Amino acid sequence: FDLEQLGVHDSVASVFPPEELADFLADLPVSVDVIGDDEISDCDAVVTIEHREAFLECDWIHSIQAGVDRFPFDEFEDHDVILTNSTGIHGRTVGETVAGYLLSFSRRLHDHVANQQERQWHRPEWDEAFTLPGTTACVVGTGTLGRGVAETLGSLGVRVTGVRRSEEPVPGFEDVYANEDLHTAIGDADFVVVTVPLTDETYHLFDADAFETMREDASFVNVARGSVVDQPALIDALESGAIRGAALDVFEDEPLPEESPLWEMDEVIVTPHSAALTRDYFRDVGELVETNVGRLEADEAFTNRVV
Ligand code: NAD
């Protein structure tokens, strides 16, 4: 297709100012503008976070997120619309966020921050604090996020195991299990970290059985998508003591509703789908868009193509 007009949809403002990305792309041999819903029909291509019906009239849509579970793949295909995502840019950011969660659990930082709000000088129980070397984290999904998590946790001395479709080894993972052996893999881990995309196959992958299989002193981390987890089953597991704690960046319902019991649990860290945020986000997305505009000009296949 001919690319003349590229729009930066104003929905990306939830992650960075749209103008920053438009400025970054200003040297491209196409016209780049920040657009609202009314201007979608003027564009051949749009960079966006949210889906709009009007995108079906464009040639190319680029998602600034890696997860594209909100986009209707079938309709894109029927209308010959290309969909690309931003997989590949979140390994370090999400890896550092997960390292932060684990350091909070081991060094009790979340307790200290909570106590500080109350001006309370409380030291942890003698056996509450620990160090990370000697612990094991089982990372479910060994793509960009999984590898980024493995690298940062590995550098902190955590033994990292992985779960993927096949048992084939992956650098940074000491042991790799196939999906069929998920429960064996998570059964002896101190931390279970979810980094798989949300698909029909992974919907509610973490259910009551999975939490029952985890150790009672283990903590669960979800930086993937809320619906990979049966959230009521997770809440039950936390309340009954089937697992010790959780760090959650994503939820079945976002923003997490005010009445959710997760907000008030001492061993639960809630972050607002912010694990991948960085002031460089617009640049990382911009480089992906530049690459694909270059490929389009050179008549080469797009990278990160989903549909
Ligand atoms: P990726 O494509 O690099 O990696 C996904 C990996 O999961 C791939 O290795 C794939 O083979 C594997 N996979 C897919 N289905 C599987 C299954 N059924 N069983 C086992 N493995 C399976 O994507 P990524 O950049 O690592 O992102 C993964 C997901 O994390 C995204 O789809 C998105 O939903 C989520 N995400 C969340 C944030 C955040 O801010 N919290 C940021 C980026 C990505």
Side-chain angles (χ1 to χ4, degrees):
F1 66 94
D2 280 334
L3 178 57
E4 283 169 16
Q5 187 69 42
L6 177 84
V8 176
H9 191 251
D10 55 15
S11 62
V12 304
S14 59
V15 177
F16 52 74
E19 299 76 20
E20 294 282 349
L21 178 59
D23 285 352
F24 182 90
L25 297 174
D27 291 340
L28 286 181
V30 299
S31 164
V32 181
D33 290 294
V34 176
I35 58 155
D37 286 345
D38 294 342
E39 292 121 319
I40 294 172
S41 55
D42 304 334
C43 298
D44 310 302
V46 179
V47 180
T48 185
I49 187 164
E50 291 174 8
H51 175 60
R52 294 288 184 269
E53 221 25 61
F55 290 162
L56 298 177
E57 305 309 317
C58 303
D59 292 310
W60 170 31
I61 301 301
H62 179 80
S63 158
I64 69 159
Q65 291 185 306
V68 280
D69 42 89
R70 301 172 311 291
F71 293 91
F73 292 3
D74 291 348
E75 290 180 41
F76 271 60
E77 201 156 328
D78 289 348
H79 287 78
D80 278 328
V81 186
I82 293 171
L83 176 65
T84 52
N85 73 3
S86 295
T87 294
I89 65 174
H90 307 111
R92 186 69 206 177
T93 48
V94 174
E96 288 193 10
T97 300
V98 172
Y101 296 145
L102 266 57
L103 288 166
S104 281
F105 289 134
S106 64
R107 308 309 307 148
R108 312 309 301 162
L109 302 179
H110 57 304
D111 284 342
H112 301 324
V113 172
N115 290 334
Q116 185 181 348
Q117 311 297 316
E118 312 291 328
R119 298 176 175 253
Q120 292 288 323
W121 181 274
H122 278 318
R123 299 178 114 189
E125 295 295 320
W126 72 272
D127 58 353
E128 267 186 305
F130 56 100
T131 56
L132 291 176
T135 63
T136 298
C138 176
V139 179
V140 181
T142 58
T144 304
L145 256 56
R147 288 167 205 230
V149 167
E151 193 181 307
T152 48
L153 295 187
S155 70
L156 289 166
V158 178
R159 176 174 169 267
V160 182
T161 65
V163 179
R164 60 186 311 215
R165 289 207 179 92
S166 74
E167 277 173 21
E168 242 168 275
V170 185
F173 293 83
E174 265 186 46
D175 279 316
V176 174
Y177 297 82
N179 280 351
E180 305 84 86
D181 300 322
L182 173 71
H183 284 211
T184 312
I186 63 176
D188 69 351
D190 301 270
F191 305 101
V192 173
V193 185
V194 188
T195 54
V196 279
L198 172 62
T199 62
D200 291 343
E201 223 183 323
T202 62
Y203 178 81
H204 284 193
L205 181 65
F206 282 85
D207 55 7
D209 276 354
F211 297 122
E212 209 43 62
T213 304
M214 282 174 59
R215 278 168 35 184
E216 286 181 7
D217 62 349
S219 294
F220 177 75
V221 176
N222 186 7
V223 285
R225 279 291 179 272
S227 296
V228 175
V229 176
D230 177 347
Q231 202 167 287
L234 170 63
I235 291 169
D236 285 349
L238 288 161
E239 283 174 343
S240 69
I243 63 171
R244 175 158 159 78
L248 307 168
D249 190 51
V250 287
F251 303 88
E252 294 217 88
D253 202 2
E254 292 181 14
L256 181 63
E258 217 183 308
E259 61 276 14
S260 172
L262 291 168
W263 287 112
E264 299 236 299
M265 293 182 180
D266 292 341
E267 272 307 282
V268 172
I269 298 173
V270 169
T271 54
H273 202 146
S274 58
L277 299 186
T278 151
R279 60 187 175 200
D280 292 321
Y281 204 111
F282 74 92
R283 243 184 280 278
D284 296 340
V285 168
E287 282 169 11
L288 282 175
V289 173
E290 261 178 3
T291 299
N292 273 339
V293 171
R295 285 180 171 246
L296 184 67
E297 311 250 291
D299 223 3
E300 290 167 7
F302 275 179
T303 60
N304 282 21
R305 183 162 175 179
V306 185
V307 178

